Amino acid sequence: MNAPLDTANSTDSVTAHFTAKYQTHLPGGHHWSMRMPRGSALKLTASEANANVGLVMYNPQDTLERLNLPDTLKGQHTFRLTEGHCLYSDMGRMFASIIQDDLGWHDSASGNLMEQHFAAKGWHKKAYQQAFNDFTPTGHDSLLIEMAKYGLGERDLCANLNLFSRVRADEEANLHYVTDHCAAGDSVTLRFEMDTLVLLHTCPHPLDPAAEYPLRGVDLTFGTATAMDERDACYLSRPENARAFANNQLYHLAS
């Protein structure tokens, strides 16, 4: 059995503090990737209302280890992800913790914008050669382009998280997009608990009902965050999180 850090005297949780180092902007309908070192942090801020960021994660030392949203939800007994939650790998470790969140809900169930959504929505597809930076890619294709830079292909694509977006389920279990969930200026901050290859896009959510393909970007702020310890809010939020952090400890000791 795993042996997590001692929590016997941990009655008061502490929220991590973020320190900014560098900022850039990613326009709507674009994609990006970077290897984020253990201990680094990334703050994403919506430039426009109803932004969406599709995100996946891999272990850069072994890309067979990747983001596992079913385990992320099961391990934390929740359908909505927000501050205090963590993002699990399929090896039972923690890629990242959500140390700050203005929205209270990020969608983990709706997947990516696909080619067939364009016809259903009546959106006009624009290639880069036609519209340059106002082109309208799918989230699916955007992730595949970024993945190819690291020798990854379609068979390596895992379920993506949709930051800034929320859905609700009706009584027949159909998912519906919640409009006006995200305001301009809303932000979410991730602290990386192990070296993590992050790939993301700013393509629309697949259930976004906008009349035209929306171009909504985000600001990316890179920095550092208070390191996790036995008082950390993400560590204490679920016993399962403590066990996953223990798996990280063992992984780093053996690396």
Side-chain angles (χ1 to χ4, degrees):
M1 183 175 177
N2 295 337
L5 292 171
D6 181 16
T7 60
N9 298 315
S10 298
T11 55
D12 298 318
S13 64
V14 174
T15 301
H17 176 71
F18 173 73
T19 302
K21 303 287 186 181
Y22 179 85
Q23 187 177 74
T24 189
H25 177 70
L26 188 67
H30 282 59
H31 43 83
W32 169 92
S33 61
M34 182 169 281
R35 175 173 170 166
M36 300 297 296
R38 176 190 180 193
S40 65
L42 174 62
K43 182 175 183 178
L44 303 100
T45 305
S47 302
E48 292 88 17
N50 295 319
N52 180 70
V53 171
L55 179 147
V56 293
M57 296 176 170
Y58 297 84
N59 180 344
Q61 279 86 36
D62 179 4
T63 52
L64 287 175
E65 182 175 10
R66 54 202 58 173
L67 177 65
N68 188 310
L69 288 178
D71 283 353
T72 295
L73 303 186
K74 181 177 65 179
Q76 297 172 103
H77 302 200
T78 186
F79 180 61
R80 66 179 181 91
L81 295 175
T82 184
E83 182 176 320
H85 290 138
C86 299
L87 302 177
Y88 283 55
S89 84
D90 57 5
M91 300 292 182
R93 293 188 273 263
M94 292 298 191
F95 275 133
S97 303
I98 303 175
I99 61 172
Q100 175 271 325
D101 178 31
D102 289 334
L103 294 108
W105 190 303
H106 299 273
D107 168 43
S108 56
S110 303
N112 251 325
L113 182 73
M114 306 289 285
E115 192 76 29
Q116 60 267 29
H117 290 130
F118 278 77
K121 294 173 180 293
W123 290 354
H124 178 56
K125 188 76 182 291
K126 300 176 185 176
Y128 178 80
Q129 292 80 359
Q130 298 171 306
F132 300 105
N133 286 338
D134 290 334
F135 73 133
T136 58
T138 67
H140 177 76
D141 289 346
S142 294
L143 287 181
L144 290 180
I145 291 169
E146 285 300 316
M147 293 170 68
K149 298 175 182 177
Y150 307 94
L152 301 171
E154 190 159 20
R155 70 176 184 175
D156 301 301
L157 188 59
C158 55
N160 62 286
L161 178 63
N162 284 305
L163 293 170
F164 299 105
S165 295
R166 177 177 179 174
V167 296
R168 64 171 179 82
D170 62 23
E171 293 182 354
E172 285 74 41
N174 299 307
L175 296 179
H176 302 272
Y177 182 79
V178 177
T179 57
D180 301 325
H181 172 60
C182 167
D186 283 345
S187 64
V188 56
T189 305
L190 305 177
R191 177 185 62 196
F192 295 92
E193 310 296 352
M194 56 187 286
D195 289 355
T196 303
L197 176 60
V198 179
L199 304 93
L200 58 83
H201 65 72
T202 50
C203 299
H205 188 277
L207 300 178
D208 191 322
E212 301 289 342
Y213 183 106
L215 293 171
R216 302 164 180 152
V218 294
D219 292 326
L220 304 176
T221 305
F222 302 83
T224 57
T226 312
M228 187 278 298
D229 62 20
E230 66 273 14
R231 300 174 300 150
D232 187 87
C234 296
Y235 175 81
L236 291 173
S237 63
R238 287 295 312 170
E240 290 86 348
N241 288 1
R243 289 199 291 271
F245 276 115
N247 290 338
N248 279 42
Q249 283 185 292
L250 181 60
Y251 174 75
H252 290 123
L253 285 171
S255 298

